[in-house]
Amino acid sequence: MFLEATSAISLQGSNLGLLLNSASANSFSTPSSCNLSLLSRSSSFSSLALSRKRDNGFTGYALSETNSMPLTGVVFQPFEEVKKDDYIVPIVPQVSLARQRFSEESEAAINEQINVEYNVSYVYHSMYAYFDRDNIALKGLAKFFKDSSEEERDHAQKLMEYQNIRGGRVKLHSILNPPAEFEHVEKGDALYAMELALSLEKLTNEKLLNLHSVADSNNDPQMTYFIETEFLQEQVNFMLLFYLDFVYNLHNLHVFVAHGNRCVAMKPK
């Protein structure tokens, strides 16, 4: 039984004999010039014949079907490719269903960064408590460090959410006890606390760069994009535009004189 092709095939007269070597040369007539509209080569059919001359070409027919091999030139065969081990859905309850191309090194590095964010948040929270005392009473700095502590904690939670999305396991490490006093005789408590905060922001930025390097070395573009868009740009902007400006102004616009448990800011004469 002949199978009529869905598309008309127009052939140049010079190539007709090469493509149709199994067909009789006198079973059809060839137009002098035609345009090639569609040429599909398949291993499923052994020969091809042309008949029913039309306006500018011929209708193709398959003479016989020889095997069930897929069409040549097919790039994506999903039902074959999903059989690879990388795409098999695990059935063990303890194994994540979402994990794909997420290395153990990247997983461990994210857990370390979570610990960094929580440690910095803990220090800022201690600074908030210090400047909120009744005998210190620098309420502006107290609010600033309280907000900074919450922001660092939000960063840690964002990393935890990403860890779960990628199929990793969050492991929280121990947090060191932060100092409770930030008095500094020479610099004053405000300048000392801001310089300490700037150093912590630089350290956090360095840790984020290391995390980005781990993702890049493990060929994980999704993780590198996440770090770049969610952390690095914000970190640089906040560190440069705020902390550096704050510390610079404290150094150059005020003279700090130690006075008991607090500092009195005075404009230079």
Side-chain angles (χ1 to χ4, degrees):
M1 181 177 180
F2 292 140
L3 301 175
E4 183 171 357
T6 58
S7 301
I9 303 176
S10 299
L11 303 172
Q12 297 289 343
S14 60
N15 296 329
L16 188 59
L18 296 176
L19 293 174
L20 303 175
N21 53 9
S22 63
S24 174
N26 57 5
S27 63
F28 53 83
S29 59
T30 307
S32 58
S33 64
C34 301
N35 294 324
L36 181 62
S37 60
L38 177 64
L39 181 59
S40 177
R41 292 179 294 177
S42 172
S43 61
S44 300
F45 305 107
S46 59
S47 58
L48 185 69
L50 300 181
S51 62
R52 295 185 185 178
K53 183 177 180 181
R54 296 188 176 178
D55 295 338
N56 60 350
F58 299 85
T59 302
Y61 289 84
L63 296 180
S64 62
E65 187 171 347
T66 58
N67 55 55
S68 58
M69 294 296 292
L71 292 174
T72 59
V74 174
V75 178
F76 182 52
Q77 302 181 41
F79 295 104
E80 292 297 324
E81 296 190 22
V82 294
K83 296 178 181 179
K84 298 178 181 179
D85 292 340
D86 293 340
Y87 310 123
I88 294 177
V89 178
I91 59 175
V92 182
Q94 293 79 13
V95 178
S96 169
L97 301 179
R99 187 162 188 149
Q100 182 183 19
R101 295 186 179 275
F102 187 54
S103 68
E104 293 182 357
E105 185 181 8
S106 296
E107 179 181 357
I110 289 179
N111 284 330
E112 291 178 5
Q113 187 64 34
I114 291 172
N115 183 256
V116 170
E117 302 290 345
Y118 271 131
N119 270 283
V120 175
S121 174
Y122 213 28
V123 175
Y124 288 162
H125 219 179
S126 181
M127 289 180 175
Y128 151 71
Y130 174 80
F131 288 107
D132 194 54
R133 295 178 187 173
D134 64 329
N135 60 331
I136 304 297
L138 294 178
K139 299 298 183 179
L141 278 178
K143 182 180 184 304
F144 169 76
F145 285 121
K146 180 181 179 181
D147 293 342
S148 297
S149 175
E150 292 175 352
E151 182 182 11
E152 298 302 325
R153 189 166 61 251
D154 289 342
H155 289 172
Q157 292 174 354
K158 187 178 295 185
L159 287 165
M160 294 169 70
E161 291 173 358
Y162 183 78
Q163 182 84 291
N164 287 334
I165 289 174
R166 293 298 303 273
R169 292 292 179 267
V170 174
K171 296 181 180 180
L172 298 179
H173 303 293
S174 300
I175 299 177
L176 297 176
N177 293 328
E181 303 293 332
F182 297 94
E183 181 182 5
H184 196 282
V185 176
E186 297 179 359
K187 296 181 179 180
D189 44 9
L191 178 59
Y192 172 68
M194 289 305 302
E195 286 183 340
L196 177 58
L198 177 58
S199 297
L200 289 173
E201 291 298 319
K202 288 183 176 181
L203 176 62
T204 302
N205 186 62
E206 184 67 26
K207 295 294 185 180
L208 286 170
L209 292 174
N210 293 339
L211 181 62
H212 185 277
S213 178
V214 170
D216 186 58
S217 63
N218 284 280
N219 193 25
D220 194 335
Q222 294 170 325
M223 183 172 167
T224 56
Y225 177 79
F226 169 74
I227 299 168
E228 291 168 2
T229 56
E230 297 292 337
F231 293 96
L232 287 180
Q233 189 62 47
E234 175 188 342
Q235 188 72 21
V236 171
N237 290 340
F238 190 68
M239 182 174 62
L240 293 179
L241 298 181
F242 192 86
Y243 278 101
L244 289 178
D245 185 62
F246 207 143
V247 172
Y248 176 83
N249 287 329
L250 289 175
H251 270 296
N252 294 281
L253 300 180
H254 296 80
V255 176
F256 289 89
V257 180
H259 181 72
N261 290 328
R262 61 168 296 172
C263 277
V264 179
M266 301 184 302
K267 291 185 179 180
K269 296 181 179 179

